[in-house]
Amino acid sequence: MTNVKEYGAALAVLIDADNANPAIVEGLLAEIAKHGVASVKRIYGDWTNTNLSQWKTALLEYSIQPIQQFAYTTGKNATDSAMIIDAMDLLYSGTFDGFCIVSSDSDFTRLASRMRESGKIVYGFGEQKTPRPFVTACDRFIYTEVFSASSTTEQSVKKKPAKELRQDTKLLNLFKSAIEAASDENGWANLGPVGSNITKQAPDFDPRNYGYTKLSDLVTAMDYFKTERRENVVFIKNERSK
């Protein structure tokens, strides 16, 4: 049997069918592949409900296991409970390094926190409407709007112009504090650690939310901070660009 550790972290992917769109699956799994191996892929819902029939093609193509959960009564979401119970079983198995929770539902906030308390990394995936508590409970939260329905190489979020980026006080403050934390005695900081520090402050930070594929592309578009390239490595400084 092949050891998934050879290929990266073992991840369990748990999808709330009631709060996810099948159009994101290709981009979702491509994103997860950047972080590890999706050794378990499960999706939860009441599959007797015709509203979920659009998932069928995606489940077959990407080998995602559907888990049936009947709705016991109107107004109560039994799917969430089934997903949480399975997640805890998988956690206690000790097999996984991390979990990917795909939902825009705040009901999974405590689950994400509990997994992190056990030393597991948690990736959240949901729409922009996802409540803030669930977003911040994850190590990293990725908004599914960045996934194109037709191709993982296309950007579905429109690029924000330099003027709009420079007027985004929250974005500028994130960069300023991250640069300060990662800078050397001369004030220069490697852009890689800067990005990591920003993610720690804001789990949902992603250059793609602003329409840019890479962090370096976003920094260039901002045209706000002083930058310098050294042997293909970008350094950034807390000074206004000239």
Side-chain angles (χ1 to χ4, degrees), residues 175 191 214-224 227 236:
F175 268 95
L191 189 58
K214 299 178 180 178
L215 182 62
S216 57
D217 294 337
L218 175 60
V219 170
T220 300
M222 290 172 68
D223 193 25
Y224 184 90
T227 60
I236 188 169

Side-chain angles (χ1 to χ4, degrees), residues 135-152:
V135 172
T136 55
C138 300
D139 290 285
R140 179 85 189 277
F141 196 92
I142 300 163
Y143 293 117
T144 53
E145 284 86 352
V146 302
F147 302 139
S148 167
S150 58
S151 171
T152 57

Side-chain angles (χ1 to χ4, degrees), residues 157-188:
V157 179
K158 185 178 180 180
K159 288 184 178 180
K160 293 187 177 182
K163 182 179 180 180
E164 188 174 345
L165 292 172
R166 289 196 293 266
Q167 291 176 341
D168 190 331
T169 303
K170 180 180 178 181
L171 178 64
L172 292 181
N173 287 338
L174 279 173
F175 268 95
K176 288 176 181 178
S177 60
I179 293 170
E180 182 178 353
S183 62
D184 58 22
E185 58 184 12
N186 296 315
W188 287 100

Side-chain angles (χ1 to χ4, degrees), residues 71-91:
Y72 296 125
T73 184
T74 304
K76 299 294 183 179
N77 197 338
T79 298
D80 290 0
S81 297
M83 189 166 155
I84 291 170
I85 291 171
D86 270 14
M88 294 307 295
D89 285 343
L90 293 171
L91 173 65

Side-chain angles (χ1 to χ4, degrees), residues 4-5 8-12 36-39 95-99:
V4 296
K5 298 292 185 181
L11 302 175
V37 179
S39 49
T95 305
F96 301 94
D97 301 302
F99 291 80

